[in-house]
Amino acid sequence: MTLPLQDPQLAVEAEGQPSTRGGFFRSVLRERKAAVVGLSIIGFFVLLSIVAPYISPYSITQQTCAVYAPPSGAHWLGCDDGGIDMLSELMQGGRISLVVGFAATLVAMIIGGGVGILSGYFGRWIDIGLMRITDYLLVIPDLVLMIVIADVWGASLFHVIMVIGILEWTSTARIIRAQVMSLRERVYVKRTRALGASNARIIWKHILPQVGPLLIANTVLTIAIAIYLETALAFLGLEDPTVTTWGTILENAFQRTAISSGAWWAIVPAGFVIAAVIVGCFLFGQAVEDALNPRLKAANLSVHRWRLRPLVGRGPDAI
Amino acid sequence: MSLLEVEDLHVWFDLPQRSHHGGGQVHAAAGVSFALEAGERFGLVGESGCGKTTTILALMGLLPPNASLAGEVRVNGRNILAGGEDSVRAHRWTDIAMVFQGAMNALNPVKKIGWQIAEPMAFHGIAHGAAARRRAGELLEMVGIPAAAGERYPHEFSGGMRQRASIAMALACDPKILLADEPTTALDVMVQAQILDLLTRLSDELGLALVLVTHDLPVVAQVCERAAVMYAGEIVESGPMEELYHSPRHPYTRLLFAATPDLYGEDDVVSIPGTPPRLDRELAGCPFRPRCDSAFAPCMDERPVLLPVGAGHEAACHLTRQPAGEHQ
Amino acid sequence: MSEAPLLQVDNLVTHYPVRRSLTGRLAREPRLQVHAVDGVSFSLARGEMLALVGESGCGKTSTAQTILRMVNSTAGTIRLNGTDITRLSQPQMRPLRRKLQMIYQDPYESLDPRFRVQDAVAEPMLVHGIGRSRAERRDLVISALERAGLAPAEQFLERYPHELSGGQRQRVTIAAALVLGPDLLLADEPVSMLDVSVRAGVLSLLDGLRRDGDMGILMITHDLSTAAHFADRIAVMYLGRIVEQGPARDVVRNPQHPYTRALLSVVPHRDPRQRSTPQILQGETPNPVDVPPGCRFHPRCPIAEDRCRREDPVLRPPAAAAAAGHEAACLLA
């Protein structure tokens, strides 16, 4: 029964703002520098990975320099324990790391998004059942389970992708479920149901587009976690050692006494790029999540105040 | 000297730089002036976006940081806005208090009602501890709630009771002026009658000056002796309620009444075509012209000014300058 | 010629169970019911507008939700064009939903913000398989928008909801309802969230629709003035029952139930000279979980007698002179 509180400035602002998903991301990029920085970092590494085989200066399978040779004009980042050029290794190792990260995230998103939507939309027994499964997986320590699985079924990239994917969907599921539950109560959803629309149609046309941005934000954040986990697994020696990823670079360096040899170039660059990608994902993902939050106007907590203007003359021509 | 004098009040809101408007301002309230005596009930009427809520928020200096203000708000002759936020704070709640729109939903859910009523008393140094709680109890009785209910939490109250509690809270520091923003909009008609009756009684018994802001014309007609009609941030007509209904001098006032169905009314209910103008642009001529049914030549370019049309009755319309009978 | 009325509701009852906490269940607390709709009967003919009036908690929205079959009734029957739809399953209801549409209160929430106007109005057709081609559906969308008063319709097709005013959004919702050619329209507070200057336009639209389209409209509102002005008949609800119903004019000018009388007396008038003496009832409407015995209004009734505590009155024509079809549920009427 209440009339909407018409804030005159909201009325003006609301005009002409695009509602399409593309428009939303464009406005996030426009308004938040962090999002631009994050996306640029991710983009840079993706691009680098794609062109890596064509631009890496040396081969990564053949020795081209001395063991632990320090950085020099020929080898910008020096060489590792096998005499292989560090820079080339980083470039090409990034391909696998990113592929594992993205693939594992894709698995996690499909499961998490699906569980979240089904749980949130249908409620009752489906919700209870799915949430109990979620809880069960949530409390299992990720790394320990991954170690066990990698140990039992062998170390391969495919296993790593599946394991990360199957364990990382839980928090996404909860977040999506919460949003779907509130969306389900929106008037336009109820209206469409009263029309006789099928559940499939409502989910596909009305719910999914609305949870899209949140799902994407979550996806990006999960990529960061997946890359980190891949690194951890590789570092613990649970990944295929014949494959070169950033994680195996670190693992090799550690195993082959790079630190005591003083060969920082075998460790620091790899760690740096991993951190950079994770930071990039976080910056972009957080920016999108913040943008999705209802406006958090801390106006009254601001140190600024409303301003007083002097009146110039009176009557209709004043100010 | 009246108890409350508002003179030439203007409020602008800055629009965010990075939006597609690229900055600029919304002129939410323009040249609002009115005066109020003790015990008087005054209505500020208009539809959404007309600037009535902005106006009364400005009276208490409760504007966000992107707002700028011009004009004077005098309480017993003293301009309380003169020093900005710091000067107005001393007068908030002690001289002017407000019952907000949706106040019943703005109560702190984790604090007892009695505590919330006593809080402003402690802040302004009027009463503390047990004395404050006792006074809170008295205020609750005054608004028709048993004093013992002060020990309960908001969720244990019904909507009507919560609104009464909000009124009690507004009276905590014994203000002379009470601003009520849509106090009964979300309430049932019977509860609305109870609240309006309460406000009327408080105004009579305590000599409170009441400014009632609402879009609901019949509510104002019943409670207030005088009212001002706002449109696009300006007062377009103001005067005694009876004059506004029986001899409106601004087409918007006339049409607004005609658009309100009456229980026993036989006339057709009308609607006003079009929408209110955007307030972020300069307006040429009369802001109501695009929707007016009596617009004529001067309305295009000349901005009408509030001119007296009767005892205590003003209207901002070019029609008032025509000799009587020439235009309907 | 006796044709079944468009809508016939008989002794409709909808109770919602109040969920008990775990401790409550262990302590075997009695199961409480919210008596949202507690025995409602009325009929609606084609071309008629019936206003269901009452305060919050009286059950008017629950009645509409039950008729719409969005909520299952506990007892009673609902007949649409003579067909009993009370116990039909959702798949069975689907084809019938073309004839039964609802308009909601909040125009700002009724439309999916990502759907353009043409998508919003075309959706019902896609759901029910109407229109064989895009072009055909587009024509139907345009004619529905024009019927809803949005002209020229072509200008509105590509717009998003946030580009429209509240009144325009409500008209789009009405167009989306009209595109299926319904017989019965349920309107839940269709104008209460719109500005005063726009309300009459939307209400006149509904009025015109039921006349020209031979539709029946069940309007739910708390605003007695609106009901008095636009509806043919008014039914006043209190705590899940209809306490008075009849021709709008007669109910408003010649109320027979003390609740109706009190309600009418507190409605403010727009003429400041017409200040009626309001009969303000004490307290607020009791919780529908706790329905008083006997006449459910007796605790607040100004003229309650002893027998009102024991006997539950039924809707019947009053003893005093009243128009045909005017009934009140009061032992003293």
Side-chain angles (χ1 to χ4, degrees), chain A:
Chain A
M1 280 195 252
T2 46
L3 278 184
L5 180 55
Q6 254 309 13
D7 185 335
Q9 71 185 99
L10 277 181
V12 176
E13 278 179 15
E15 287 182 23
Q17 257 175 19
S19 291
T20 58
R21 227 177 305 167
F24 167 75
F25 285 112
R26 245 178 279 141
S27 71
V28 170
L29 288 174
R30 206 186 326 126
E31 282 170 30
R32 287 162 208 267
K33 295 276 176 13
V36 178
V37 171
L39 198 57
S40 312
I41 296 178
I42 300 173
F44 169 73
F45 281 105
V46 169
L47 215 58
L48 187 63
S49 304
I50 294 175
V51 303
Y54 307 107
I55 68 166
S56 47
Y58 299 93
S59 151
I60 60 169
T61 46
Q62 286 162 337
Q63 184 169 9
T64 49
C65 50
V67 170
Y68 285 142
S72 61
H75 297 270
W76 290 359
L77 288 176
C79 294
D80 75 348
D81 61 294
I84 300 180
D85 178 47
M86 223 33 250
L87 186 59
S88 310
E89 264 195 319
L90 272 182
M91 283 197 221
Q92 298 201 30
R95 305 183 85 200
I96 312 281
S97 290
L98 286 177
V99 162
V100 170
F102 285 132
T105 303
L106 192 63
V107 173
M109 281 307 105
I110 292 174
I111 303 179
V115 168
I117 290 177
L118 291 175
S119 205
Y121 185 79
F122 289 107
R124 288 190 286 190
W125 292 114
I126 297 181
D127 181 29
I128 294 176
L130 287 174
M131 280 301 107
R132 291 295 82 75
I133 296 174
T134 310
D135 288 340
Y136 182 66
L137 287 174
L138 207 55
V139 298
I140 297 178
D142 300 351
L143 213 48
V144 174
L145 181 64
M146 286 185 200
I147 294 173
V148 170
I149 291 182
D151 222 31
V152 168
W153 283 330
S156 84
L157 274 184
F158 178 71
H159 286 147
V160 169
I161 292 174
M162 289 314 291
V163 162
I164 296 177
I166 287 170
L167 287 181
E168 288 312 308
W169 59 262
T170 49
S171 59
T172 304
R174 294 202 140 246
I175 293 172
I176 299 290
R177 167 183 176 266
Q179 212 203 11
V180 170
M181 282 175 79
S182 83
L183 278 176
R184 187 185 55 177
E185 298 307 312
R186 301 286 280 272
V187 180
Y188 60 83
V189 172
K190 287 188 179 169
R191 226 188 91 235
T192 315
R193 241 197 278 147
L195 261 183
S198 63
N199 287 323
R201 188 192 168 80
I202 294 177
I203 292 177
W204 181 247
K205 288 247 157 195
H206 293 281
I207 307 258
L208 205 47
Q210 291 279 61
V211 300
L214 190 58
L215 200 52
I216 289 178
N218 236 267
T219 303
V220 173
L221 292 170
T222 308
I223 291 176
I225 298 174
I227 290 180
Y228 165 78
L229 283 171
E230 184 274 324
T231 308
L233 282 178
F235 190 76
L236 292 171
L238 296 167
E239 207 171 78
D240 191 346
T242 60
V243 173
T244 307
T245 74
W246 288 336
T248 55
I249 292 174
L250 281 178
E251 194 247 350
N252 274 330
F254 192 67
Q255 293 280 13
R256 310 283 164 79
T257 66
I259 302 169
S260 50
S261 308
W264 58 267
W265 54 89
I267 300 171
V268 172
F272 177 76
V273 293
I274 294 169
V277 172
I278 290 178
V279 166
C281 289
F282 261 93
L283 285 176
F284 184 68
Q286 287 284 28
V288 173
E289 270 196 354
D290 283 349
L292 289 172
N293 265 327
R295 236 184 281 232
L296 299 166
K297 260 190 180 165
N300 298 319
L301 302 174
S302 154
V303 292
H304 303 293
R305 306 254 193 240
W306 50 267
R307 303 174 309 278
L308 206 50
R309 281 160 72 153
L311 263 186
V312 183
R314 304 273 156 135
D317 51 4
I319 309 250

Side-chain angles (χ1 to χ4, degrees), chain B residues 67-110:
Chain B
S68 32
L69 222 91
E72 293 189 4
V73 173
R74 293 190 291 269
V75 175
N76 279 324
R78 199 153 95 233
N79 181 7
I80 63 175
L81 293 181
E85 162 78 12
D86 300 306
S87 77
V88 94
R89 201 185 299 141
H91 297 272
R92 252 184 227 144
W93 237 250
T94 48
D95 285 325
I96 312 185
M98 187 157 155
V99 180
F100 295 86
Q101 188 172 8
M104 63 203 93
N105 295 320
L107 293 169
N108 191 332
V110 296

Side-chain angles (χ1 to χ4, degrees), chain B residues 174-193:
Chain B
D174 220 4
K176 313 178 190 65
I177 304 162
L178 185 64
L179 312 172
D181 190 2
E182 306 273 11
T184 58
T185 298
L187 300 173
D188 287 323
V189 68
M190 189 62 70
V191 181
Q192 171 176 279

Side-chain angles (χ1 to χ4, degrees), chain C:
Chain C
M1 177 195 57
S2 80
E3 194 191 270
L6 174 60
L7 177 68
Q8 175 78 39
V9 174
D10 289 302
N11 291 311
L12 192 62
V13 175
T14 306
H15 289 170
Y16 303 113
V18 177
R19 303 196 68 196
R20 293 178 294 178
S21 63
L22 185 59
T23 42
R25 247 181 280 189
L26 290 175
R28 309 235 181 183
E29 274 170 13
R31 277 216 155 136
L32 296 173
Q33 301 273 352
V34 176
H35 299 259
V37 183
D38 216 12
V40 164
S41 307
F42 64 87
S43 69
L44 181 67
R46 284 177 177 281
E48 202 183 17
M49 191 191 298
L50 170 65
L52 215 51
V53 177
E55 302 184 283
S56 48
C58 72
K60 52 194 197 298
T61 302
S62 297
T63 306
Q65 293 287 329
T66 312
I67 293 174
L68 200 56
R69 295 299 323 284
M70 291 278 92
V71 156
N72 282 327
S73 56
T74 317
T77 53
I78 310 163
R79 281 198 191 84
L80 183 65
N81 277 324
T83 318
D84 188 340
I85 64 170
T86 334
R87 297 265 155 243
L88 293 183
S89 67
Q90 291 303 327
Q92 286 170 315
M93 271 300 295
R94 256 193 93 199
L96 292 170
R97 290 199 183 284
R98 289 186 56 177
K99 298 290 155 196
L100 176 58
Q101 288 291 303
M102 181 140 159
I103 315 276
Y104 293 83
Q105 177 178 6
D106 190 345
Y108 299 92
E109 286 281 310
S110 292
L111 298 170
D112 189 328
R114 292 168 182 273
F115 274 38
R116 279 181 234 256
V117 167
Q118 69 186 13
D119 301 320
V121 181
E123 186 171 27
M125 291 193 274
L126 291 170
V127 169
H128 288 274
I130 303 174
R132 286 171 301 254
S133 67
R134 271 206 126 148
E136 194 183 332
R137 282 195 290 270
R138 187 171 185 270
D139 290 333
L140 288 169
V141 167
I142 290 177
S143 71
L145 286 172
E146 286 178 350
R147 265 182 94 195
L150 290 172
E154 286 82 1
Q155 270 190 20
F156 287 95
L157 291 175
E158 298 287 316
R159 300 246 197 113
Y160 283 100
H162 68 259
E163 299 175 50
L164 304 174
S165 69
Q168 289 168 331
R169 283 189 229 208
Q170 200 65 311
R171 285 172 190 267
V172 170
T173 321
I174 293 175
L178 290 178
V179 84
L180 291 173
D183 292 332
L184 175 62
L185 208 57
L186 300 173
D188 188 356
E189 306 271 11
V191 295
S192 68
M193 290 187 73
L194 299 178
D195 275 327
V196 171
S197 58
V198 218
R199 287 183 193 184
V202 175
L203 288 168
S204 308
L205 166 65
L206 291 174
D207 198 29
L209 285 174
R210 61 137 171 143
R211 270 188 244 274
D212 308 331
D214 209 24
M215 289 195 291
I217 299 185
L218 180 64
M219 181 164 71
I220 296 168
T221 178
H222 66 284
D223 186 351
L224 278 161
S225 312
T226 302
H229 214 99
F230 288 95
D232 294 308
R233 291 196 296 132
I234 293 180
V236 181
M237 284 190 73
Y238 185 81
L239 268 191
R241 287 263 182 91
I242 295 182
V243 295
E244 183 159 3
Q245 70 175 353
R249 253 189 99 86
D250 210 46
V251 169
V252 164
R253 280 161 214 273
N254 187 13
Q256 297 297 316
H257 194 285
Y259 177 61
T260 316
R261 281 195 212 116
L263 218 51
L264 289 168
S265 75
V266 295
V267 172
H269 296 275
R270 56 183 188 178
D271 185 349
R273 287 189 196 147
Q274 269 182 29
R275 293 198 186 174
S276 54
T277 29
Q279 198 184 4
I280 301 180
L281 298 173
Q282 289 311 309
E284 298 184 26
T285 315
N287 203 319
V289 173
D290 234 329
V291 175
C295 170
R296 43 194 70 204
F297 183 58
H298 85 256
R300 300 172 81 197
C301 183
I303 57 171
E305 290 180 358
D306 211 37
R307 56 176 168 144
C308 301
R309 270 176 264 275
R310 294 185 300 269
E311 276 179 62
D312 195 2
V314 285
L315 262 182
R316 56 179 168 77
H326 189 166
E327 302 178 312
C330 178
L331 299 172
L332 306 172

